């Protein structure tokens, strides 16, 4: 019995340890603003994260499940209508009314297009939930390059600690690559934090609402349980102590 308890405890500890991804890679230790029961997205982070996506990652990674209009969500990046329009117009999407192959600037109701890129970069719409470690995995990938690279059959591979070996994406961003207008430090850690937050929002735009609903239902359950307990005591009081109620 003791051994069973010990192994269950060990398994629980391992499962909650932030250091090891499900596979072979090592994840960084980092607290996100949206962690925990009361955590919420930070609009500044989401807007800066979007800026990195557009200026760097979008060259290779699409987001085909994310419509431009959601960039205006109040619990999301919260861009204004004019900003969302301007952002969409920076992207080209297939023109249904033109000849095959024609494109037109995107409108807010369109979805982020998938760029043509070599090496099969995964779509980013759900990436923050598709990998063990979630947003922490993306954060750790951005900070996980060792600088080692090798050539295999004509293709270059790059070593990354979070990936747990070599893979096909060269380090996409270095410090000071993206200029922040709000004075936030342009460090790689900050970029990784903001981009991971943005991709977490892209993958789960309703997280804040879901957490609020969770907190509400737990509060309700506690209140309800307390009421039941008092009612129960009152109802049974006469039965248990009839002498007090004679
Ligand atoms: C020049 C093209 C290019 C750019 C720019 C780029 N990527 Fe990638 N990315 C790739 C390719 C190709 C892969 C697939 C590599 C592989 O599986 O070997 C990839 C894979 C990934 C993965 C997934 C690893 C996995 O588990 O499959 C993550 C995370 C990632 N990229 C994040 C980013 C982020 C964040 C940015 C922007 C800061 C970015 N990428 C910019 C080409 C790019």
């Amino acid at each position: 019995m003791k051994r069973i308890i010990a192994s269950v405890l060990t398994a629980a500890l391992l499962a909650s340890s932030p250091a090891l991804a499900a596979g072979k890679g090592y994840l960084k230790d980092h607290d996100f603003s949206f962690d925990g029961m009361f955590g919420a997205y930070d609009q500044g982070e989401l807007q800066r994260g979007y800026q990195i996506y557009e200026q760097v990652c979008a060259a290779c990674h699409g987001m085909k499940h994310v419509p431009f209009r959601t960039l205006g969500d109040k619990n999301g990046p919260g861009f204004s209508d004019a900003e969302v329009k301007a952002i969409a117009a920076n992207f080209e999407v297939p023109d249904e009314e033109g000849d095959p192959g024609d494109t037109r600037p995107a409108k807010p109701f369109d979805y982020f297009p998938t760029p043509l890129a070599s090496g099969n970069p995964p779509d980013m719409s759900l990436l923050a939930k598709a990998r063990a470690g979630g947003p922490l995995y993306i954060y750790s990938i951005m900070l996980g390059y060792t600088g080692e690279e090798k050539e295999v059959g004509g293709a270059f591979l790059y070593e990354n600690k979070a990936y747990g070996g070599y893979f096909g994406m060269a380090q996409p961003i270095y410090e000071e690559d993206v200029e922040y207008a709000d004075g936030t430090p342009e460090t790689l850690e900050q970029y990784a934090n903001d981009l991971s937050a943005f991709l977490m929002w892209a993958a789960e735009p309703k997280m804040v609402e879901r957490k609020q609903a969770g907190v509400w239902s737990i509060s309700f359950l506690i209140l309800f349980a307390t009421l039941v307990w008092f009612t129960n005591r009152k109802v049974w009081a006469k039965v248990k102590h009839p002498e007090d109620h004679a």
Side-chain angles (χ1 to χ4, degrees):
M1 189 63 191
K2 260 190 196 156
R3 265 170 56 192
I4 297 178
I5 294 178
S7 59
V8 168
L9 279 180
T10 319
L13 269 178
L14 281 178
S16 63
S17 144
L20 263 183
K24 33 206 173 118
Y26 278 87
L27 299 188
K28 298 259 174 202
D29 212 355
H30 182 67
D31 294 327
F32 287 112
S33 52
F34 51 83
D35 282 342
M37 198 157 72
F38 297 100
Y41 292 128
D42 176 298
Q43 216 157 65
E45 286 181 1
L46 297 188
Q47 293 201 358
R48 294 190 301 270
Y50 173 73
Q51 192 189 349
I52 296 174
Y53 171 74
E54 180 178 311
Q55 290 180 13
V56 184
C57 321
C60 299
H61 295 272
M63 282 200 303
K64 62 181 177 192
H65 299 299
V66 179
F68 288 102
R69 61 175 166 71
T70 56
L71 293 175
D73 285 358
K74 288 291 156 279
N75 281 333
F79 286 112
S80 71
D81 287 353
E83 285 170 327
V84 171
K85 257 192 198 153
I87 286 172
N90 288 340
F91 290 81
E92 289 285 315
V93 294
D95 185 0
E96 313 80 1
E97 280 159 20
D99 294 327
D102 280 0
T103 62
R104 60 166 172 82
K107 301 251 167 63
F109 56 77
D110 287 313
Y111 289 72
F112 276 89
T114 301
L116 283 173
S118 58
N120 289 323
D123 185 84
M124 278 190 159
S125 321
L126 298 169
L127 198 59
K129 291 181 82 180
R131 296 286 187 276
L136 198 55
Y137 174 70
I138 293 167
Y139 179 88
S140 307
I141 285 275
M142 292 177 74
L143 297 172
Y145 285 91
T146 64
E148 296 294 321
E149 55 180 78
K150 62 182 182 190
E151 205 184 331
V152 178
F156 278 97
L157 295 177
Y158 309 86
E159 191 181 36
N160 189 299
K161 281 192 206 149
Y163 192 81
Y166 287 80
F167 79 145
M169 180 173 75
Q171 181 164 345
I173 186 171
Y174 293 85
E175 63 175 20
E176 294 184 3
D177 272 358
V178 169
E179 202 174 314
Y180 281 157
D182 62 1
T184 304
E186 292 157 5
T187 61
L188 201 51
E189 282 81 7
Q190 188 66 42
Y191 290 157
N193 174 75
D194 297 349
L195 191 272
S196 307
F198 172 72
L199 289 185
M200 183 63 194
W201 167 79
E204 210 187 337
K206 298 280 174 238
M207 184 196 70
V208 173
E209 288 91 329
R210 182 174 57 74
K211 280 184 183 169
Q212 283 167 353
V215 170
W216 266 111
S217 35
I218 288 174
S219 322
F220 177 77
L221 278 178
I222 292 173
L223 184 75
F224 187 69
T226 317
L227 282 175
V228 166
W229 188 73
F230 276 116
T231 315
N232 196 43
R233 251 182 32 152
K234 211 170 167 201
V235 167
W236 287 95
K238 287 186 191 163
V239 179
K240 283 188 178 160
H241 312 282
E243 65 283 0
D244 297 346
H245 299 272

